[in-house]
Amino acid sequence: MRWYRRSCDTVRKAVVTVGLIGAAVTLQACAIDPQSLLTTPAQLQQRTPFTAVAPQQAWINAPGVVMVMQRGLRGESEQRVALDNRTTVPGENLLILRAQDLGGRAARLNFEALLRRIGGAPAPFATVRAGDLTADEDEIGPYFWTEQRFGDDVVCVLGLRRVTSSQRLLPGNATVMDIVLRNCVQGSAQDALAPLFSGSITAPPVTGAVLGETRVLSPLAAPMVR
């Protein structure tokens, strides 16, 4: 009986010791990088660098592609596609593409949320508001845009739209891809908007690889303002 009591005491001490060691290990692990669990989406975006990829890997078949940069973020991926710029307007011509999985949620474009995610509207559209945008439509639904003119023959456009995985194959497991275009050209607003049109979005990439059938849906909802 005494042997049994001594054995039970030994076992209890061992359990307590193991528990303390486990707690210490857990605290040590937490101390390694506590900030990693507290990183906000904005902080993650600041800390995640872009990597250059071949122009053939662009998610969009836009005319005048010069360079493509890409990065993965928490729950979404981003490409920035630099476009040819033959004007003297400050800033870069570019497409910003954000692909994410929204599951079964409604595919409505939130204008202000999208601009926050990309760090604000590109110059010269820093002060643009949802009410400044004109709504138009092509074969795959609506897009939204505004323009600024410089001199007699230069026009800059800010355009945006959302496409879904029902309309074209999207990167990874994404169900929607938001597209923001800033483009300054010598010509018309329609010339400047060309990278945003359905022909650029649903066509195969410049490699010629077939991404899949384009399935045209009914028009998407207008951008939300919160």
Side-chain angles (χ1 to χ4, degrees):
M1 195 64 175
R2 289 178 184 172
W3 173 85
Y4 174 77
R5 288 196 185 108
R6 283 198 298 270
S7 298
C8 288
D9 290 342
T10 301
V11 170
R12 288 193 193 98
K13 289 177 182 176
V15 169
V16 171
T17 302
V18 170
L20 290 174
I21 291 172
V25 169
T26 301
L27 289 174
Q28 233 178 355
C30 290
I32 291 173
D33 186 13
Q35 293 301 316
S36 63
L37 302 177
L38 303 174
T39 303
T40 65
Q43 290 171 331
L44 181 65
Q45 187 160 294
Q46 290 176 352
R47 299 174 185 178
T48 306
F50 283 93
T51 301
V53 298
Q56 291 83 357
Q57 293 180 285
W59 298 338
I60 195 167
N61 191 19
V65 172
V66 175
M67 179 183 296
V68 180
M69 305 292 288
Q70 184 173 314
R71 65 179 173 179
L73 299 168
R74 186 184 299 151
E76 61 184 311
S77 301
E78 177 179 1
Q79 269 194 359
R80 298 212 170 196
V81 180
L83 303 175
D84 183 39
N85 188 355
R86 301 184 182 184
T87 73
T88 58
V89 179
E92 300 298 328
N93 288 346
L94 81 163
L95 283 153
I96 302 173
L97 312 167
R98 300 282 291 231
Q100 58 183 320
D101 181 2
L102 294 185
R105 284 178 282 170
R108 295 189 67 190
L109 179 62
N110 186 317
F111 173 76
E112 293 183 348
L114 176 56
L115 290 192
R116 283 196 301 270
R117 280 171 31 227
I118 67 171
F125 300 98
T127 61
V128 71
R129 298 290 179 265
D132 302 327
L133 301 176
T134 298
D136 276 312
E137 189 175 321
D138 61 13
E139 294 86 351
I140 61 170
Y143 57 92
F144 308 91
W145 66 282
T146 187
E147 68 174 59
Q148 286 193 33
R149 294 191 172 272
F150 297 84
D152 295 330
D153 62 345
V154 173
V155 60
C156 292
V157 298
L158 174 70
L160 59 153
R161 75 186 308 165
R162 168 170 285 187
V163 294
T164 73
S165 55
S166 296
Q167 294 168 297
R168 55 154 287 179
L169 188 65
L170 298 180
N173 297 319
T175 58
V176 299
M177 183 168 70
D178 293 329
I179 305 169
V180 178
L181 167 70
R182 183 273 198 189
N183 202 19
C184 297
V185 302
Q186 290 180 308
S188 68
Q190 293 300 296
D191 295 332
L193 285 167
L196 195 66
F197 290 155
S198 60
S200 295
I201 293 169
T202 60
V206 291
T207 56
V210 176
L211 286 178
E213 267 187 43
T214 298
R215 293 177 287 279
V216 178
L217 296 184
S218 60
L220 303 178
M224 297 170 58
V225 179
R226 288 180 182 172

